[in-house]
C-alpha cells in the first residue's frame, strides 16, 4: 500500500521528531569517534538502528524500508565499490610490476619533499580526477599514490580527503550543479556562477591548510611560494571558468593549470629543507631512469586520465545510452510508486520514484578496469599474474565493500523514510538566520548520502523555497548547499571507507574519521562565514535570478 511521509510524526512536533530520528546519526558519530568501531561494524549497526527507528517513528512499512535499503546497497556496490575496486587494482598492478619505483623517482625529480608532493598529487591531480570521474576515484587513486611515495597511511588518507574539498562541487563534469539546477529549475549556469564566487576563497587556502597539517606553520612558511602558486592558480581558474564557461569544466581547467603552474615553478625554485615524516626512512640514493622508462611507468595514469575524461563527457554517456549498453530497472520492486513526499517538501503529495540503472559500460570503474587491462600489456604483466593481483585486491577490500554497501543502505533509507527531510526542515525553520545555516544543511546532506550530487538533489528545492519565503536570494542558498557539502565529504562514512580501503586502513576507519572530523568543522565554519558575508554584508557578489534573466 502507498505510504506518505510525515515529517513531524511524534506529537506533530518537528523538533521532537528530529531529535528521535537523529539517534542513528548520533550513534554513527559515537561509534566512529568515541567507540572506535571498525567501519563495517559501525555501518551495519547504524543501518539496523535506522531501520528500527523509521519503522517505529514514521510507521514506514517494513517491506518498503527493506526495499529502500536494498536499492542503497546495490548503488553502493555499483558504481561506488566498483570504482574503488578497480582503482586500487590499477595501483596494485603498477606496484606488482615494479614500475611504481619509476613513478616515485619521477615525482622525486620534481621534489622529494612530502609537502610539495601533497600539493601535486593530493590537491592538483586529485582535483583533475574529481572533475573527470568523481565518486570515490580521486581519493582512492591519490591516496594509494601517496602511500607508494612513502606517506604514512593515516596522513595519506586524511590529506587526500581534505584536499578533495576544493573540487567536489564541480566534480564528475559538474554533476552536483547539474542536479541542483534540475531540481530547482534555475538551470546550472547561474548556480555555477554563485559557487564560483564562494569556493575560490576556500580553494586558495586548502593547499596552505594541507601543508600546515603535514608540517606545521613553520614548515608551511618554508614552501609558501609553492603553496601560493598552487592555490592561487587553482582558485583563479576556478573563478573564471565557473563564471564564464559554466558547471562542466572548472575542475578540469583549474586542476591542470594548478598542476602545470606548480610543476613549472619547481623547475626554478626548491625549498631550502626537504621535509620527510619523523619515522620515515629516507634513501640518499636516487635511481635515474630514462625518458622511455618513465613514460612506460606513468602510462597507466596517462591512459587513465584520457579514459576518465572521455567517460565523463555527456556525449559519451549519450552514445552509450544510444547503444543500449546498460540495464535499466525503471521501477524498483517494493519501493517505486509506494512512497509519497508530503508538504512542505512538495506542494501536494508526490510519488518518490525509485529506479536503478546499471551502467556497466559507462561507469567510471569500467573505464579504470579497461585502463588496467591495457596497462597489463604495457607493463608486462601476464594475465595469470593480473588475475592474481585482482583476487588479492578483492580480498584486501572485502570489508571496505561491506562498509560502503551498509552506508549506502543507510543513506537511501534515510531519504525514502523522510528522515533526511525532517532534519532539513528543522534547519529551514530558523527564519532570517537560514542563509547562515544553509551550508550546514548541505554539509548534513553529504554526510548522510556521501555525495554532493545527492545532497543537492535532496535539499536543493528546500533551500530555494525557504529562501524565497524569507526574502533571501535563493541562488545564494542553493549554491551554499553545494559549498557546505564539499566540507562534509571528508567525514562521510562512504568517503572514509573508500580512503581506508586505498590505504590499507581497513578496520581503522574510526582513526581516519577522528582525523578529519575537526577539519570538517573548521572548514564548515569558514564556509558559513563566507555565506554570511555574501548574504548580509556584500549581497551583490552572488547573482540573482532577476539579474540573470535581464
Amino acid at each position: 500500500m502507498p505510504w506518505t511521509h510525515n515529517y513531524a510524526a511524534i506529537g506533530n512536533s518537528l523538533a521532537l521528531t528530529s531529535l528521535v530520528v537523529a539517534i542513528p546519526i548520533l550513534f554513527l558519530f559515537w561509534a566512529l569517534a568515541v567507540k572506535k568501531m571498525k567501519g563495517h561494524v559501525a555501518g551495519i549497526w547504524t543501518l539496523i538502528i535506522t531501520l528500527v527507528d523509521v519503522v517505529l517513528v514514521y510507521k514506514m512499512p517494513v517491506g518498503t524500508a527493506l526495499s529502500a535499503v536494498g536499492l542503497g546497497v546495490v548503488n553502493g556496490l555499483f558504481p561506488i565499490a566498483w570504482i574503488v575496486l578497480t582503482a586500487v587494482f590499477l595501483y596494485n598492478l603498477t606496484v606488482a610490476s615494479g614500475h611504481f619505483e619509476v613513478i616515485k623517482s619521477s615525482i622525486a625529480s620534481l621534489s622529494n619533499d612530502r609537502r610539495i608532493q601533497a600539493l601535486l598529487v593530493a590537491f592538483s591531480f586529485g582535483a583533475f580526477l574529481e572533475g573527470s570521474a568523481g565518486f570515490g576515484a580521486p581519493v582512492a587513486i591519490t591516496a594509494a599514490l601517496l602511500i607508494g611515495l612513502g606517506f604514512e597511511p593515516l596522513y595519506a588518507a586524511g590529506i587526500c580527503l581534505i584536499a578533495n574539498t576544493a573540487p567536489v562541487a564541480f566534480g564528475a563534469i559538474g554533476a552536483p550543479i547539474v542536479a541542483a539546477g534540475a531540481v530547482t529549475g534555475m538551470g546550472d549556469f547561474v548556480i555555477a556562477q554563485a559557487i564560483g564566487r564562494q569556493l575560490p576563497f576556500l580553494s586558495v587556502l586548502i593547499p596552505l591548510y594541507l601543508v600546515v597539517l603535514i608540517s606545521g606553520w613553520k614548515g608551511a612558511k618554508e614552501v609558501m611560494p609553492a603553496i601560493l602558486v598552487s592555490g592561487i592558480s587553482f582558485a583563479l581558474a576556478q573563478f573564471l571558468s565557473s563564471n564564464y564557461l559554466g558547471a562542466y569544466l572548472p575542475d578540469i581547467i583549474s586542476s591542470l593549470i594548478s598542476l602545470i603552474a606548480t610543476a613549472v615553478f619547481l623547475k626554478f625554485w626548491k625549498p631550502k629543507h626537504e621535509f620527510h615524516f619523523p619515522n620515515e626512512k629516507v634513501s640518499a640514493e636516487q635511481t635515474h631512469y630514462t625518458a622511455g622508462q618513465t613514460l612506460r611507468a606513468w602510462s597507466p595514469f596517462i591512459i587513465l586520465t584520457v579514459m576518465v575524461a572521455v567517460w565523463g563527457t555527456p556525449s559519451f554517456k549519450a552514445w552509450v545510452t544510444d547503444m543500449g549498453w546498460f540495464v535499466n530497472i525503471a521501477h524498483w520492486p517494493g519501493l517505486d510508486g509506494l512512497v509519497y513526499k508530503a508538504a512542505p517538501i512538495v506542494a501536494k503529495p508526490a510519488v518518490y520514484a525509485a529506479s536503478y540503472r546499471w551502467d556497466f559500460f559507462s561507469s567510471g570503474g569500467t573505464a579504470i578496469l579497461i585502463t588496467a587491462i591495457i596497462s597489463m600489456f604495457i607493463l608486462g604483466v601476464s594475465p595469470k599474474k593480473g588475475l592474481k593481483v585482482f583476487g588479492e585486491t578483492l580480498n584486501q577490500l572485502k570489508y571496505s565493500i561491506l562498509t560502503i554497501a551498509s552506508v549506502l543502505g543507510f543513506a537511501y533509507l534515510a531519504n525514502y523514510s523522510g528522515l533526511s527531510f525532517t532534519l532539513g526542515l528543522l534547519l529551514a525553520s530558523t527564519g532570517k538566520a537560514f542563509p547562515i545555516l544553509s551550508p550546514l544543511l548541505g554539509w548534513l546532506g553529504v554526510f548522510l548520502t556521501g555525495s554532493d550530487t545527492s545532497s543537492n538533489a535532496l535539499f536543493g528545492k528546500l533551500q530555494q523555497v525557504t529562501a524565497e519565503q524569507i526574502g533571501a536570494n535563493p541562488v545564494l542558498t542553493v549554491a551554499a548547499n553545494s559549498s557546505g557539502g564539499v566540507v562534509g565529504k571528508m567525514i562521510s562514512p562512504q568517503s572514509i571507507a573508500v580512503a581506508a580501503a586505498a590505504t590499507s586502513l581497513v578496520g581503522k576507519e574510526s582513526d581516519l574519521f577522528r582525523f578529519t572530523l575537526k577539519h570538517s568543522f573548521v572548514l564548515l565554519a569558514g564556509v558559513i562565514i563566507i555565506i554570511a558575508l555574501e548574504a548580509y554584508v556584500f549581497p551583490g557578489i552572488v547573482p540573482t535570478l532577476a539579474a540573470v534573466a535581464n
Side-chain angles (χ1 to χ4, degrees), residues 438-439 441-443 452 455-456 459-460 463 477-485:
S438 55
L441 187 55
W443 179 88
D452 205 37
S455 176
N456 286 346
F459 290 138
Q463 294 271 16
T477 56
V478 171
N481 193 82
S482 200
S483 296

Side-chain angles (χ1 to χ4, degrees), residues 101-102 104-106 108-109 283-290 293-294:
E101 292 302 315
V102 185
K104 287 166 63 175
S105 177
S106 65
S109 68
S283 175
E285 298 181 3
Q286 185 175 326
T287 306
H288 295 280
Y289 298 93
T290 66
Q293 290 174 310
T294 302

Side-chain angles (χ1 to χ4, degrees), residues 103-112 117 266-267 270 286 288:
I103 293 175
K104 287 166 63 175
S105 177
S106 65
I107 294 177
S109 68
L110 282 174
S111 178
N112 204 28
Q117 291 174 346
L266 290 171
K267 292 292 184 182
K270 301 288 183 184
Q286 185 175 326
H288 295 280

Side-chain angles (χ1 to χ4, degrees), residues 179-237:
V183 299
T184 60
M186 293 180 181
D188 53 67
F189 194 84
V190 67
I191 300 173
Q193 287 182 313
I195 294 173
R197 302 177 194 187
Q198 295 170 354
L199 283 187
F201 296 108
L202 195 64
S203 298
V204 77
L205 293 175
I206 290 297
L208 175 61
Y209 198 96
L210 291 176
V211 176
V212 170
L213 181 61
I214 293 170
S215 62
W217 177 247
K218 182 179 179 181
K221 287 193 294 184
E222 293 178 354
V223 292
M224 189 62 72
I227 291 172
L228 293 174
V229 169
S230 178
I232 292 175
S233 61
F234 186 98
L236 185 60

Side-chain angles (χ1 to χ4, degrees), residues 163-188:
N164 197 229
T165 297
V168 163
F170 296 100
I173 317 293
I177 299 173
V178 172
V183 299
T184 60
M186 293 180 181
D188 53 67

Side-chain angles (χ1 to χ4, degrees), residues 16 54 147 165 200 225 239 320 403 415 503 524:
L16 186 57
V54 300
I147 286 286
T165 297
F239 167 75
V320 171
T403 302
N415 293 348
T503 53
L524 175 62

